[in-house]
Amino acid sequence: MLIGELAARAGLSRDTVRFYEKLGLVTSRRLPSGYRDFAPETVVWLQYVRTAQTLGFSLAEIARHGEELRDASDTAGALSALFAEKIRVVDTRMAELTALRAELTARVGTGCPLRAGG
């Protein structure tokens, strides 16, 4: 399918599809006319990419894990493992942000908030 049809079916712009192709998230073959030709299953993959982004995965993470997910014999298990790892990353980040918030709170009203607390 041509890029315009793919973009419409996936709910994306053509520029987004081109960007994803540049990142290696999707591939196409060139027709003799020079147009990009995408496989029909690319629509489902792009929907997966968008869902993964809403779940906090970066495009780099999606690209890194995409091939292993497509090739996994147990996709549900592979996804569960990725989700568990992402939860650990989120928990770590939340702890870091909590510590940062406490540090900022301690500096409020200290006259010079850039001096070390104490």
Side-chain angles (χ1 to χ4, degrees):
M1 98 182 47
L2 299 180
I3 193 168
E5 182 181 354
L6 174 63
R9 286 187 181 189
L12 303 170
S13 71
R14 291 175 187 181
D15 286 340
T16 299
V17 174
R18 286 185 195 101
F19 179 68
Y20 287 174
E21 185 176 26
K22 183 178 177 182
L23 293 178
L25 289 170
V26 295
T27 58
S28 67
R29 66 181 185 93
R30 291 288 181 160
L31 298 173
S33 63
Y35 291 120
R36 291 173 172 90
D37 183 41
F38 294 90
E41 59 270 12
T42 307
V43 174
V44 174
W45 172 245
L46 288 174
Q47 292 167 341
Y48 165 81
V49 169
R50 298 304 283 197
T51 300
Q53 282 186 293
T54 64
L55 292 174
F57 289 89
S58 68
L59 290 176
E61 289 171 317
I62 296 165
R64 187 170 52 249
H65 298 295
E67 195 167 314
E68 70 188 63
L69 286 175
R70 284 189 288 252
D71 297 339
S73 59
D74 179 13
T75 305
L79 279 172
S80 290
L82 283 176
F83 292 162
E85 176 57 29
K86 190 64 169 180
I87 289 168
R88 286 189 287 279
V89 169
V90 168
D91 287 344
T92 299
R93 185 67 179 138
M94 287 174 61
E96 291 168 351
L97 288 171
T98 298
L100 176 60
R101 187 179 196 291
E103 180 68 24
L104 290 169
T105 300
R107 291 171 185 255
V108 169
T110 61
C112 181
L114 299 181
R115 288 198 184 126

mmCIF file of all heavy atoms in Angstrom, residues 40-70:
data_model
loop_
_atom_site.group_PDB
_atom_site.id
_atom_site.type_symbol
_atom_site.label_atom_id
_atom_site.label_comp_id
_atom_site.label_asym_id
_atom_site.label_seq_id
_atom_site.Cartn_x
_atom_site.Cartn_y
_atom_site.Cartn_z
ATOM 1 N N PRO A 40 0.650 -4.636 4.120
ATOM 2 C CA PRO A 40 -0.584 -4.359 4.858
ATOM 3 C C PRO A 40 -0.432 -4.477 6.382
ATOM 4 O O PRO A 40 -1.053 -3.725 7.130
ATOM 5 C CB PRO A 40 -1.566 -5.401 4.329
ATOM 6 C CG PRO A 40 -1.036 -5.787 2.990
ATOM 7 C CD PRO A 40 0.455 -5.648 3.080
ATOM 8 N N GLU A 41 0.421 -5.389 6.858
ATOM 9 C CA GLU A 41 0.577 -5.564 8.309
ATOM 10 C C GLU A 41 1.281 -4.381 8.968
ATOM 11 O O GLU A 41 1.318 -4.277 10.200
ATOM 12 C CB GLU A 41 1.305 -6.870 8.639
ATOM 13 C CG GLU A 41 2.682 -7.005 8.045
ATOM 14 C CD GLU A 41 2.700 -7.655 6.663
ATOM 15 O OE1 GLU A 41 1.652 -7.814 6.021
ATOM 16 O OE2 GLU A 41 3.804 -7.993 6.216
ATOM 17 N N THR A 42 1.787 -3.453 8.173
ATOM 18 C CA THR A 42 2.418 -2.257 8.717
ATOM 19 C C THR A 42 1.406 -1.404 9.482
ATOM 20 O O THR A 42 1.760 -0.737 10.456
ATOM 21 C CB THR A 42 3.078 -1.434 7.593
ATOM 22 O OG1 THR A 42 3.956 -2.283 6.852
ATOM 23 C CG2 THR A 42 3.870 -0.270 8.132
ATOM 24 N N VAL A 43 0.144 -1.445 9.080
ATOM 25 C CA VAL A 43 -0.905 -0.682 9.782
ATOM 26 C C VAL A 43 -0.982 -1.133 11.234
ATOM 27 O O VAL A 43 -0.967 -0.311 12.160
ATOM 28 C CB VAL A 43 -2.284 -0.851 9.098
ATOM 29 C CG1 VAL A 43 -3.387 -0.178 9.910
ATOM 30 C CG2 VAL A 43 -2.250 -0.291 7.688
ATOM 31 N N VAL A 44 -1.044 -2.443 11.455
ATOM 32 C CA VAL A 44 -1.136 -2.980 12.817
ATOM 33 C C VAL A 44 0.122 -2.613 13.605
ATOM 34 O O VAL A 44 0.048 -2.234 14.776
ATOM 35 C CB VAL A 44 -1.339 -4.513 12.783
ATOM 36 C CG1 VAL A 44 -1.290 -5.111 14.172
ATOM 37 C CG2 VAL A 44 -2.650 -4.845 12.098
ATOM 38 N N TRP A 45 1.274 -2.723 12.970
ATOM 39 C CA TRP A 45 2.529 -2.390 13.646
ATOM 40 C C TRP A 45 2.541 -0.915 14.054
ATOM 41 O O TRP A 45 2.934 -0.577 15.176
ATOM 42 C CB TRP A 45 3.722 -2.706 12.749
ATOM 43 C CG TRP A 45 5.011 -2.213 13.318
ATOM 44 C CD1 TRP A 45 5.812 -1.260 12.789
ATOM 45 C CD2 TRP A 45 5.644 -2.635 14.526
ATOM 46 N NE1 TRP A 45 6.908 -1.055 13.594
ATOM 47 C CE2 TRP A 45 6.830 -1.886 14.678
ATOM 48 C CE3 TRP A 45 5.323 -3.558 15.511
ATOM 49 C CZ2 TRP A 45 7.689 -2.037 15.750
ATOM 50 C CZ3 TRP A 45 6.193 -3.714 16.587
ATOM 51 C CH2 TRP A 45 7.352 -2.968 16.700
ATOM 52 N N LEU A 46 2.083 -0.011 13.189
ATOM 53 C CA LEU A 46 2.053 1.409 13.534
ATOM 54 C C LEU A 46 1.084 1.690 14.673
ATOM 55 O O LEU A 46 1.344 2.549 15.518
ATOM 56 C CB LEU A 46 1.709 2.252 12.300
ATOM 57 C CG LEU A 46 2.820 2.356 11.265
ATOM 58 C CD1 LEU A 46 2.332 3.092 10.028
ATOM 59 C CD2 LEU A 46 4.056 3.029 11.848
ATOM 60 N N GLN A 47 -0.014 0.967 14.715
ATOM 61 C CA GLN A 47 -0.941 1.111 15.840
ATOM 62 C C GLN A 47 -0.279 0.654 17.134
ATOM 63 O O GLN A 47 -0.447 1.263 18.187
ATOM 64 C CB GLN A 47 -2.238 0.353 15.563
ATOM 65 C CG GLN A 47 -3.044 0.990 14.447
ATOM 66 C CD GLN A 47 -4.167 0.113 13.924
ATOM 67 O OE1 GLN A 47 -4.187 -1.094 14.112
ATOM 68 N NE2 GLN A 47 -5.105 0.745 13.230
ATOM 69 N N TYR A 48 0.505 -0.415 17.051
ATOM 70 C CA TYR A 48 1.267 -0.881 18.202
ATOM 71 C C TYR A 48 2.257 0.201 18.649
ATOM 72 O O TYR A 48 2.374 0.491 19.848
ATOM 73 C CB TYR A 48 2.022 -2.176 17.875
ATOM 74 C CG TYR A 48 3.089 -2.490 18.888
ATOM 75 C CD1 TYR A 48 2.766 -3.092 20.100
ATOM 76 C CD2 TYR A 48 4.417 -2.140 18.656
ATOM 77 C CE1 TYR A 48 3.742 -3.345 21.044
ATOM 78 C CE2 TYR A 48 5.390 -2.393 19.599
ATOM 79 C CZ TYR A 48 5.047 -2.997 20.787
ATOM 80 O OH TYR A 48 6.008 -3.231 21.727
ATOM 81 N N VAL A 49 2.957 0.796 17.702
ATOM 82 C CA VAL A 49 3.941 1.839 18.021
ATOM 83 C C VAL A 49 3.269 2.978 18.767
ATOM 84 O O VAL A 49 3.771 3.442 19.796
ATOM 85 C CB VAL A 49 4.648 2.349 16.739
ATOM 86 C CG1 VAL A 49 5.458 3.610 17.005
ATOM 87 C CG2 VAL A 49 5.529 1.262 16.149
ATOM 88 N N ARG A 50 2.132 3.425 18.284
ATOM 89 C CA ARG A 50 1.422 4.531 18.936
ATOM 90 C C ARG A 50 0.959 4.145 20.340
ATOM 91 O O ARG A 50 1.061 4.936 21.270
ATOM 92 C CB ARG A 50 0.222 4.971 18.087
ATOM 93 C CG ARG A 50 0.602 5.503 16.710
ATOM 94 C CD ARG A 50 1.566 6.641 16.787
ATOM 95 N NE ARG A 50 0.851 7.843 17.166
ATOM 96 C CZ ARG A 50 1.297 9.058 17.035
ATOM 97 N NH1 ARG A 50 2.480 9.259 16.519
ATOM 98 N NH2 ARG A 50 0.591 10.085 17.399
ATOM 99 N N THR A 51 0.467 2.929 20.501
ATOM 100 C CA THR A 51 0.043 2.466 21.826
ATOM 101 C C THR A 51 1.236 2.397 22.765
ATOM 102 O O THR A 51 1.157 2.825 23.926
ATOM 103 C CB THR A 51 -0.643 1.092 21.731
ATOM 104 O OG1 THR A 51 -1.784 1.213 20.875
ATOM 105 C CG2 THR A 51 -1.089 0.596 23.094
ATOM 106 N N ALA A 52 2.350 1.861 22.288
ATOM 107 C CA ALA A 52 3.553 1.767 23.110
ATOM 108 C C ALA A 52 4.018 3.156 23.552
ATOM 109 O O ALA A 52 4.445 3.337 24.700
ATOM 110 C CB ALA A 52 4.653 1.037 22.350
ATOM 111 N N GLN A 53 3.908 4.126 22.667
ATOM 112 C CA GLN A 53 4.285 5.492 23.035
ATOM 113 C C GLN A 53 3.385 6.023 24.151
ATOM 114 O O GLN A 53 3.872 6.671 25.069
ATOM 115 C CB GLN A 53 4.198 6.427 21.830
ATOM 116 C CG GLN A 53 5.368 6.296 20.886
ATOM 117 C CD GLN A 53 5.301 7.342 19.797
ATOM 118 O OE1 GLN A 53 4.402 7.314 18.954
ATOM 119 N NE2 GLN A 53 6.231 8.270 19.814
ATOM 120 N N THR A 54 2.087 5.754 24.073
ATOM 121 C CA THR A 54 1.188 6.235 25.118
ATOM 122 C C THR A 54 1.467 5.547 26.452
ATOM 123 O O THR A 54 1.146 6.092 27.505
ATOM 124 C CB THR A 54 -0.301 6.053 24.755
ATOM 125 O OG1 THR A 54 -0.595 4.669 24.645
ATOM 126 C CG2 THR A 54 -0.653 6.778 23.475
ATOM 127 N N LEU A 55 2.096 4.366 26.405
ATOM 128 C CA LEU A 55 2.461 3.648 27.627
ATOM 129 C C LEU A 55 3.842 4.061 28.139
ATOM 130 O O LEU A 55 4.360 3.470 29.084
ATOM 131 C CB LEU A 55 2.424 2.137 27.386
ATOM 132 C CG LEU A 55 1.034 1.553 27.135
ATOM 133 C CD1 LEU A 55 1.134 0.086 26.758
ATOM 134 C CD2 LEU A 55 0.146 1.735 28.364
ATOM 135 N N GLY A 56 4.429 5.072 27.513
ATOM 136 C CA GLY A 56 5.679 5.621 28.007
ATOM 137 C C GLY A 56 6.945 5.087 27.368
ATOM 138 O O GLY A 56 8.042 5.430 27.794
ATOM 139 N N PHE A 57 6.814 4.258 26.349
ATOM 140 C CA PHE A 57 7.991 3.741 25.671
ATOM 141 C C PHE A 57 8.462 4.753 24.640
ATOM 142 O O PHE A 57 7.657 5.326 23.908
ATOM 143 C CB PHE A 57 7.682 2.403 24.980
ATOM 144 C CG PHE A 57 7.490 1.268 25.937
ATOM 145 C CD1 PHE A 57 6.241 0.993 26.465
ATOM 146 C CD2 PHE A 57 8.557 0.479 26.319
ATOM 147 C CE1 PHE A 57 6.048 -0.050 27.353
ATOM 148 C CE2 PHE A 57 8.382 -0.575 27.204
ATOM 149 C CZ PHE A 57 7.119 -0.838 27.733
ATOM 150 N N SER A 58 9.758 4.981 24.593
ATOM 151 C CA SER A 58 10.320 5.894 23.601
ATOM 152 C C SER A 58 10.398 5.176 22.254
ATOM 153 O O SER A 58 10.354 3.945 22.186
ATOM 154 C CB SER A 58 11.729 6.334 24.028
ATOM 155 O OG SER A 58 12.627 5.233 23.959
ATOM 156 N N LEU A 59 10.557 5.954 21.209
ATOM 157 C CA LEU A 59 10.716 5.356 19.879
ATOM 158 C C LEU A 59 11.979 4.493 19.834
ATOM 159 O O LEU A 59 11.988 3.451 19.188
ATOM 160 C CB LEU A 59 10.757 6.432 18.801
ATOM 161 C CG LEU A 59 9.436 7.163 18.554
ATOM 162 C CD1 LEU A 59 9.640 8.287 17.530
ATOM 163 C CD2 LEU A 59 8.350 6.217 18.103
ATOM 164 N N ALA A 60 13.015 4.901 20.539
ATOM 165 C CA ALA A 60 14.240 4.096 20.588
ATOM 166 C C ALA A 60 13.972 2.747 21.249
ATOM 167 O O ALA A 60 14.444 1.704 20.779
ATOM 168 C CB ALA A 60 15.339 4.846 21.325
ATOM 169 N N GLU A 61 13.206 2.747 22.335
ATOM 170 C CA GLU A 61 12.865 1.484 22.994
ATOM 171 C C GLU A 61 12.018 0.601 22.081
ATOM 172 O O GLU A 61 12.228 -0.606 22.005
ATOM 173 C CB GLU A 61 12.099 1.751 24.292
ATOM 174 C CG GLU A 61 12.940 2.333 25.397
ATOM 175 C CD GLU A 61 12.113 2.778 26.583
ATOM 176 O OE1 GLU A 61 11.040 3.403 26.391
ATOM 177 O OE2 GLU A 61 12.533 2.498 27.721
ATOM 178 N N ILE A 62 11.069 1.217 21.406
ATOM 179 C CA ILE A 62 10.200 0.462 20.497
ATOM 180 C C ILE A 62 11.032 -0.138 19.375
ATOM 181 O O ILE A 62 10.873 -1.314 19.041
ATOM 182 C CB ILE A 62 9.077 1.371 19.947
ATOM 183 C CG1 ILE A 62 8.166 1.839 21.087
ATOM 184 C CG2 ILE A 62 8.265 0.635 18.878
ATOM 185 C CD1 ILE A 62 7.256 2.998 20.724
ATOM 186 N N ALA A 63 11.931 0.643 18.815
ATOM 187 C CA ALA A 63 12.788 0.139 17.742
ATOM 188 C C ALA A 63 13.676 -0.992 18.251
ATOM 189 O O ALA A 63 13.852 -2.006 17.570
ATOM 190 C CB ALA A 63 13.642 1.273 17.174
ATOM 191 N N ARG A 64 14.201 -0.829 19.460
ATOM 192 C CA ARG A 64 15.104 -1.833 20.026
ATOM 193 C C ARG A 64 14.397 -3.162 20.283
ATOM 194 O O ARG A 64 14.955 -4.218 20.070
ATOM 195 C CB ARG A 64 15.724 -1.282 21.315
ATOM 196 C CG ARG A 64 16.793 -2.144 21.905
ATOM 197 C CD ARG A 64 17.566 -1.469 23.037
ATOM 198 N NE ARG A 64 16.739 -0.909 24.077
ATOM 199 C CZ ARG A 64 16.584 0.406 24.317
ATOM 200 N NH1 ARG A 64 17.181 1.294 23.566
ATOM 201 N NH2 ARG A 64 15.823 0.830 25.306
ATOM 202 N N HIS A 65 13.146 -3.081 20.735
ATOM 203 C CA HIS A 65 12.423 -4.295 21.111
ATOM 204 C C HIS A 65 11.462 -4.794 20.043
ATOM 205 O O HIS A 65 10.925 -5.889 20.165
ATOM 206 C CB HIS A 65 11.647 -4.066 22.412
ATOM 207 C CG HIS A 65 12.533 -3.749 23.572
ATOM 208 N ND1 HIS A 65 13.439 -4.638 24.079
ATOM 209 C CD2 HIS A 65 12.665 -2.622 24.312
ATOM 210 C CE1 HIS A 65 14.087 -4.088 25.092
ATOM 211 N NE2 HIS A 65 13.642 -2.867 25.244
ATOM 212 N N GLY A 66 11.247 -4.007 19.016
ATOM 213 C CA GLY A 66 10.258 -4.358 18.000
ATOM 214 C C GLY A 66 10.517 -5.675 17.316
ATOM 215 O O GLY A 66 9.612 -6.508 17.182
ATOM 216 N N GLU A 67 11.742 -5.882 16.898
ATOM 217 C CA GLU A 67 12.047 -7.104 16.160
ATOM 218 C C GLU A 67 11.903 -8.329 17.052
ATOM 219 O O GLU A 67 11.345 -9.345 16.638
ATOM 220 C CB GLU A 67 13.455 -7.030 15.580
ATOM 221 C CG GLU A 67 13.694 -8.080 14.523
ATOM 222 C CD GLU A 67 14.964 -7.812 13.735
ATOM 223 O OE1 GLU A 67 15.173 -6.661 13.327
ATOM 224 O OE2 GLU A 67 15.716 -8.771 13.544
ATOM 225 N N GLU A 68 12.366 -8.231 18.293
ATOM 226 C CA GLU A 68 12.244 -9.388 19.189
ATOM 227 C C GLU A 68 10.774 -9.687 19.504
ATOM 228 O O GLU A 68 10.404 -10.849 19.663
ATOM 229 C CB GLU A 68 13.057 -9.207 20.465
ATOM 230 C CG GLU A 68 12.520 -8.156 21.415
ATOM 231 C CD GLU A 68 13.454 -7.862 22.575
ATOM 232 O OE1 GLU A 68 14.573 -7.385 22.324
ATOM 233 O OE2 GLU A 68 13.057 -8.106 23.725
ATOM 234 N N LEU A 69 9.950 -8.648 19.553
ATOM 235 C CA LEU A 69 8.520 -8.888 19.792
ATOM 236 C C LEU A 69 7.865 -9.546 18.581
ATOM 237 O O LEU A 69 7.043 -10.444 18.734
ATOM 238 C CB LEU A 69 7.802 -7.582 20.122
ATOM 239 C CG LEU A 69 8.047 -7.017 21.504
ATOM 240 C CD1 LEU A 69 7.370 -5.660 21.648
ATOM 241 C CD2 LEU A 69 7.554 -7.966 22.575
ATOM 242 N N ARG A 70 8.218 -9.078 17.408
ATOM 243 C CA ARG A 70 7.637 -9.669 16.199
ATOM 244 C C ARG A 70 8.042 -11.128 16.042
ATOM 245 O O ARG A 70 7.286 -11.941 15.525
ATOM 246 C CB ARG A 70 8.051 -8.877 14.961
ATOM 247 C CG ARG A 70 7.302 -7.567 14.802
ATOM 248 C CD ARG A 70 7.591 -6.939 13.455
ATOM 249 N NE ARG A 70 8.933 -6.405 13.396
ATOM 250 C CZ ARG A 70 9.223 -5.102 13.404
ATOM 251 N NH1 ARG A 70 8.266 -4.219 13.450
ATOM 252 N NH2 ARG A 70 10.465 -4.689 13.343
#
